[in-house]
Amino acid sequence: MLACGGSRISHQNLGLGFCSTRISQLSSFMVKPPSSSAAAIVDNNYNHRFQPRFISSSSLQSKSPGDIPLLPDSFSQREDDHEHPSEALSSVAGGIVALGKFDALHIGHRELAIQASKVGTPYLLSFVGMAEVLGWEPRSPIVAQCDRKSVLSSWAPFCGNVAPKEFQVQFMSVRHLTPQQFVEKLAKELGLCGVVAGENYRFGYKAAGDASELVRLCDKFGIGAYIINSVMDRHQDARNMNRCDLKERGQVSSTRVRHALAEGYMKYVSELLGRQHRLLLVVKDWESLTSTSSKHRVSSPKSSLLNLPPKDGFYENCSLLVGEKKPVTCRVSIDTTHIHLEVDEVDFCDYDYSQNSQVLGIEFGELRVNCV
């Protein structure tokens, strides 16, 4: 583990295991002001099972589930409150925060968390409400909001047996901050020891700040800055991605994950994510359940999906996850309006159909070509 002074971070073997306790500030972590060479450039060479909850339809409307604490609006341009951070803010004090847009929680994002864990207590700081503020077209998340904590828990073996915590900030409260104001807030309001960001990271109003500016400002405010090289897509030459995107340099990105899902390239999606893509859906009743002597079939409208499905088609060798029961093999068919699950009788006979609302998880196998 490195102190906040910032030196080159070397890769090391990480132990296995999982710590389920809440991350707290490490009392033994020594904080020292970074030097002018505070940035560390890191070269990148490159589970926990889903345990869904029984939920009510009203709980799906929550924009800020308890799994992901939402930092209060005090993270803003007000100058009279940064000396007295709230309990939510102080909970990340002394930690190392990974900065980015963590839509897909892909292997590039995981690498940020890994490097943060080598320096101190790892956190992810992300922003909510960007689409509404910037007028973007609404779209489904790649990872369901209620599944993000489970994904981060699966990163624990890579992060020194500590699952990174995620904190969210309302984008509206920071969108007009200059790069200097933004870093000042990180240092004074959150009390961070340091930040980790990718080499292409932009921040501040109109994305005015880049990685080198982040290093300079973190040095000014006495916190460490660790800049890592992008995790590159090893199959970039074999995929027909959007070459018109000026930000597209062959790195792993949430955009690549979305494109791969749209084409049904599930093996490729798994490589980008470092895990199988997990689709969550809410079954409000089991009236659509049909059974034969050897199979069960369940259909649900696409409106029941909590995150982005892959391309319409037929997928074999998928896994169905229900509660804490053992995953069972299933086949999944997706059409323009519905998703259909087919499970062998022997695998599905002991499931409880009495719950009014139940979250199902599907981890995808490969798309069968020419079959919808």
Side-chain angles (χ1 to χ4, degrees):
M1 178 180 295
L2 300 179
C4 284
S7 58
R8 182 177 295 273
I9 304 173
S10 60
H11 290 272
Q12 57 187 353
N13 293 327
L14 301 176
L16 299 178
F18 170 62
C19 176
S20 62
T21 57
R22 181 176 178 82
I23 295 176
S24 59
Q25 183 176 352
L26 298 179
S27 59
S28 60
F29 188 73
M30 300 303 294
V31 180
K32 64 178 182 180
S35 64
S36 58
S37 59
I41 305 296
V42 181
D43 295 321
N44 296 307
N45 299 319
Y46 190 43
N47 132 15
H48 279 262
R49 276 294 181 181
F50 164 67
Q51 294 185 356
R53 302 187 298 265
F54 295 116
I55 61 174
S56 63
S57 58
S58 61
S59 67
L60 296 176
Q61 307 303 318
S62 174
K63 297 182 180 180
S64 178
D67 288 348
I68 305 178
L70 187 65
L71 297 182
D73 290 337
S74 61
F75 193 79
S76 64
Q77 295 193 66
R78 294 199 303 270
E79 297 298 330
D80 57 350
D81 57 1
H82 62 74
E83 296 296 331
H84 304 284
S86 69
E87 180 180 352
L89 293 175
S90 62
S91 64
V92 300
I96 305 294
V97 167
L99 301 173
K101 298 176 183 177
F102 300 103
D103 181 14
L105 294 177
H106 53 61
I107 58 174
H109 297 148
R110 187 179 69 188
E111 187 63 28
L112 290 172
I114 290 172
Q115 300 308 325
S117 71
K118 292 179 180 180
V119 184
T121 306
Y123 297 90
L124 271 60
L125 182 64
S126 55
F127 302 102
V128 294
M130 292 186 67
E132 295 83 354
V133 172
L134 299 177
W136 294 346
E137 189 75 19
R139 59 183 184 179
S140 299
I142 295 174
V143 181
Q145 187 81 336
C146 60
D147 196 28
R148 293 178 69 85
K149 183 178 180 180
S150 179
V151 173
L152 293 180
S153 293
S154 73
W155 292 1
F158 301 92
C159 298
N161 298 332
V162 175
K165 293 286 186 179
E166 181 175 27
F167 286 85
Q168 294 182 335
V169 172
Q170 290 288 353
F171 178 68
M172 176 64 78
S173 69
V174 299
R175 70 167 303 195
H176 293 296
L177 295 181
T178 65
Q180 176 166 318
Q181 289 172 328
F182 178 73
V183 174
E184 184 177 10
K185 297 298 181 182
L186 296 179
K188 293 185 177 181
E189 289 191 7
L190 270 66
L192 301 180
C193 178
V195 298
V196 178
E199 60 185 336
N200 298 320
Y201 182 68
R202 309 288 305 195
F203 68 104
Y205 186 56
K206 295 185 177 180
D210 59 11
S212 61
E213 180 74 352
L214 180 64
V215 172
R216 185 187 70 82
L217 291 171
C218 285
D219 185 66
K220 177 178 179 179
F221 289 103
I223 61 175
Y226 304 87
I227 307 302
I228 70 172
N229 293 334
S230 299
V231 175
M232 304 307 291
D233 177 8
R234 294 178 296 176
H235 301 284
Q236 57 180 296
D237 295 332
R239 306 294 175 180
N240 182 24
M241 307 306 291
N242 184 10
R243 302 303 182 186
C244 297
D245 187 350
L246 297 179
K247 297 181 180 179
E248 176 59 60
R249 299 182 177 89
Q251 72 274 20
V252 173
S253 66
S254 296
T255 298
R256 281 178 174 259
V257 176
R258 286 185 177 274
H259 286 172
L261 283 171
E263 296 297 327
Y265 296 145
M266 302 314 295
K267 182 178 180 181
Y268 181 42
V269 170
S270 296
E271 293 172 355
L272 295 173
L273 295 178
R275 63 184 186 278
Q276 286 181 289
H277 178 61
R278 188 157 56 217
L279 180 67
L280 267 59
L281 64 152
V282 179
V283 177
K284 295 184 178 180
D285 60 63
W286 294 93
E287 294 180 358
S288 61
L289 175 66
T290 59
S291 301
T292 66
S293 59
S294 61
K295 299 184 187 304
H296 280 296
R297 182 179 172 90
V298 178
S299 298
S300 189
K302 281 187 171 179
S303 59
S304 67
L305 302 180
L306 301 184
N307 58 314
L308 184 66
K311 175 184 178 180
D312 291 356
F314 186 83
Y315 296 85
E316 298 180 297
N317 299 317
C318 300
S319 295
L320 175 63
L321 312 172
V322 184
E324 298 182 7
K325 294 184 178 295
K326 181 180 178 181
V328 298
T329 301
C330 68
R331 296 160 293 281
V332 178
S333 177
I334 305 175
D335 58 34
T336 56
T337 60
H338 284 72
I339 180 169
H340 312 276
L341 287 72
E342 189 176 273
V343 183
D344 293 339
E345 168 92 21
V346 66
D347 293 328
F348 208 59
C349 60
D350 61 344
Y351 279 83
D352 180 8
Y353 310 123
S354 64
Q355 298 293 334
N356 290 330
S357 294
Q358 190 169 10
V359 178
L360 305 183
I362 302 169
E363 292 183 344
F364 278 84
E366 287 301 296
L367 172 69
R368 181 192 292 178
V369 180
N370 297 326
C371 182
V372 178

